Amino acid sequence: MSTSSIPEEVVRRHSRREARARAFSDLQATRARLAAGTSLKPEFEYELLTMFARNELGASVTMPALYALFAIACMFWAPPAEAIIWLITVITAKVVLLDQCRRFLTIPQSKVNVRLWRRRLILLELLSGLALACFALVGVRETLQAPTEMVFSSHVFIFATLIVVLAIRTMFAATIPAILYAGTVPMTIAVVFRLLLLGNVFYLALATMAIGIHLYFLFLSRGMRATTLSMLEYRTEKDALIAELEEQKSVSDEARRRAEAANMAKSRFLATMSHELRTPLNAILGFSEVMKEEMFGAMNNPQYREYAGNIHESGTHLLHLINEILDLTRIESGRYELHEAPLRLTDITDECHRLLKLRADGKGIEVIEETDPDLPLVWADLKALRQVCLNLMSNALKFTPKGGRIILSVGAMPDGGQFLSVRDNGPGIPADEIPKVLQAFGQGTLAHQTAEGGAGLGLAIVQNLMELHGGALNLQSELRKGTDATVILPGYRVLQAMVPLQPLGQETHRLKGIARTRPARLRPGHPGAGGTAAVG
């Protein structure tokens, strides 16, 4: 198998594995639904039964009290004995139902047989519904022989009782249609039968209304059931999404941990190998320099002297690369310590200009300094900022063609900070390649064609060193117009002169030639905080 076909094969294998997992999950869900005897998911069926049981237990006191009120009311047209017998019957059926609901909630979900418990609760609700239906038969004979006003009031009360029962049972059992039917149909049939016994058009209309109201509450229960099922589905999807997010988070945490461990291992390896390479490299540089300078006698063959010079130049380049790798690994591992002191950015640009002047003159490049000598001191690491300036100038010298121009600028920022800028009129960098060149070992395509050799570490080191100072590197470039690399130091690193404590001429102690300064807006705990610096 070719190397290019491996990723495609891995993707196909992963998709087949996911398809098999989904098919197995669907098969398990289908088997569970068939075993439960319902089209719903078993967990949904369990949730619906749980809602019903909790609703019943929540009204364990109010419902018997309501039945007691019904019994007291029916004593106005029925014998008290019948009313008490009905009350005892309906409360007994309700107590049995509540006891089973309490037992259902105490059993762990994993041990619940949903199909068995659904049948049990349906039967118990049917018994409770039949007991409620007996309320319509209490005092039937006495009502038929009572005065017309008593007949009217008693049957209107029974009709109202039916509406109350339908409303309560719809709220409690709307999510399970079978339980709702078992608890309400017997009561409706009994009330309709009693109203039809009177043989009056008015009571016939009440009977028709009772059936219509029952159908209306059944319609409402369908909507409530659909809403509840949607809520359960959304909750299940939310739980699944949360579980997936937790799983992905654990995978990403593990991947990050491995990446950090690999990065640390890489840094340790580069640091170790760099140290190991520097020892023989120093010997190569020393001996090649002795041979190139012919310190122990002239070489008869001039080509040997040229070879020695090439060896020395290559060794110097390799040593520079090793030093850059060491600096980068120290910064990334957090072992680069800043030795901060008051300094001027203009002094750094002057020094770097002198160091690279011969190289610039060799290419015929004009270096122009645009600096403000009156800028205040900054609190920073001299070695780090010198390396920043040298790296930026070296890059500019690499990319600027012969006869070009480089401008070194140092100035103040609007927020109180200071900047150091290196601008050239070289070939420039494409906008889409700027993020690449800022990475370690990153180089643009145009750089390979026009610039001298390099490892692509200069800008990465500059960016890291400026982050250690709380600053930033801003790289702007345009093709065929040049590049502008600007490093910015924040305002809290700029030192401002202290105002005189007394008016001039009235000081107790006069310090001639020395201006006392203090750090301005330094962060608490900063090495420069709490002290003063002398401005020369």
Side-chain angles (χ1 to χ4, degrees), residues 399 428-430 433-434 436-437 441-450:
F399 289 95
I429 307 172
E433 292 184 357
I434 289 181
K436 178 182 178 182
V437 301
F441 302 100
Q443 291 181 329
T445 54
L446 192 59
H448 293 288
Q449 304 172 6
T450 60

Side-chain angles (χ1 to χ4, degrees), residues 10-81:
V10 171
V11 171
R12 286 197 298 269
R13 191 180 306 167
H14 183 67
S15 61
R16 288 196 298 267
R17 188 184 303 112
E18 288 184 346
R20 287 196 299 268
R22 286 195 300 269
F24 181 72
S25 177
D26 294 341
L27 179 60
Q28 282 186 327
T30 303
R31 288 178 177 174
R33 287 195 293 268
L34 292 176
T38 177
S39 60
L40 298 177
K41 295 181 179 180
E43 58 269 22
F44 287 1
E45 190 71 24
Y46 174 81
E47 289 290 341
L48 296 178
L49 291 177
T50 301
M51 290 180 183
F52 170 75
R54 289 175 178 171
N55 290 335
E56 290 293 332
L57 292 176
S60 59
V61 177
T62 56
M63 292 305 298
L66 183 63
Y67 297 155
L69 292 177
F70 290 163
I72 294 173
C74 72
M75 289 181 184
F76 287 97
W77 70 81

Side-chain angles (χ1 to χ4, degrees), residues 459-490:
L459 291 179
I461 293 176
V462 170
Q463 192 171 25
N464 283 277
L465 288 177
M466 294 310 300
E467 289 177 356
L468 290 178
H469 283 83
L473 166 64
N474 183 18
L475 185 64
Q476 297 181 351
S477 183
E478 189 175 352
L479 287 178
R480 292 177 295 277
K481 290 187 178 181
T483 303
D484 183 0
T486 304
V487 293
I488 302 172
L489 286 173

Side-chain angles (χ1 to χ4, degrees), residues 195-354:
L195 293 173
L196 293 177
L197 286 177
L198 298 176
N200 189 295
V201 178
F202 173 75
Y203 296 111
L204 177 62
L206 282 182
T208 305
M209 287 181 61
I211 297 175
I213 291 173
H214 193 172
L215 294 177
Y216 176 72
F217 276 109
L218 292 181
F219 175 77
L220 287 181
S221 68
R222 291 184 59 185
M224 295 174 63
R225 174 180 169 85
T227 302
T228 304
L229 290 177
S230 299
M231 178 192 69
L232 293 177
E233 290 178 356
Y234 291 147
R235 190 178 69 180
T236 302
E237 292 177 0
K238 179 198 70 175
D239 294 341
L241 181 60
I242 292 175
E244 185 177 356
L245 289 176
E246 289 292 337
E247 181 181 359
Q248 294 299 325
K249 181 178 180 298
S250 62
V251 172
S252 64
D253 290 343
E254 179 65 18
R256 186 178 66 252
R257 187 190 63 81
R258 292 182 179 179
E260 290 175 353
N263 186 49
M264 291 299 297
K266 177 212 63 171
S267 299
R268 287 194 298 267
F269 170 77
L270 290 176
T272 302
M273 290 303 297
S274 299
H275 282 296
E276 293 296 329
L277 288 174
R278 289 176 71 176
T279 301
L281 188 57
N282 287 328
I284 294 174
L285 289 175
F287 292 140
S288 62
E289 187 175 5
V290 169
M291 296 171 63
K292 182 184 67 171
E293 299 296 335
E294 299 178 337
M295 291 182 180
F296 299 110
M299 291 185 182
N300 296 328
N301 192 334
Q303 194 168 4
Y304 287 162
R305 186 168 58 253
E306 182 182 355
Y307 288 165
N310 293 337
I311 293 173
H312 187 269
E313 291 178 1
S314 300
T316 303
H317 176 72
L318 182 57
L319 181 61
H320 177 69
L321 175 60
I322 291 174
N323 289 332
E324 285 187 336
I325 293 175
L326 283 175
D327 290 337
L328 188 60
T329 53
R330 279 199 301 267
I331 295 172
E332 289 181 348
S333 60
R335 292 181 294 176
Y336 192 98
E337 297 181 0
L338 296 179
H339 301 283
E340 296 161 309
L343 56 90
R344 293 185 185 275
L345 292 182
T346 54
D347 296 340
I348 293 177
T349 55
D350 292 341
E351 181 182 359
C352 295
H353 186 189
R354 288 194 302 269

Side-chain angles (χ1 to χ4, degrees), residues 349-367 390 393-394 397-398 402-403 406 452:
T349 55
D350 292 341
E351 181 182 359
C352 295
H353 186 189
R354 288 194 302 269
L355 291 175
L356 298 177
K357 183 174 177 57
L358 291 178
R359 184 176 170 187
D361 293 342
K363 293 186 64 175
I365 297 175
E366 181 185 8
V367 179
L390 286 175
M393 288 191 64
S394 297
L397 289 173
K398 288 179 184 178
K402 292 183 178 181
I406 296 176
E452 303 171 6

Side-chain angles (χ1 to χ4, degrees), residues 70-71 74 77 86 131-138 157-158 161 187 194:
F70 290 163
C74 72
W77 70 81
W86 172 81
L132 278 173
C134 293
F135 178 76
L137 304 178
V138 174
F157 183 82
I158 292 174
T161 302
M187 180 72 174
R194 180 162 181 165

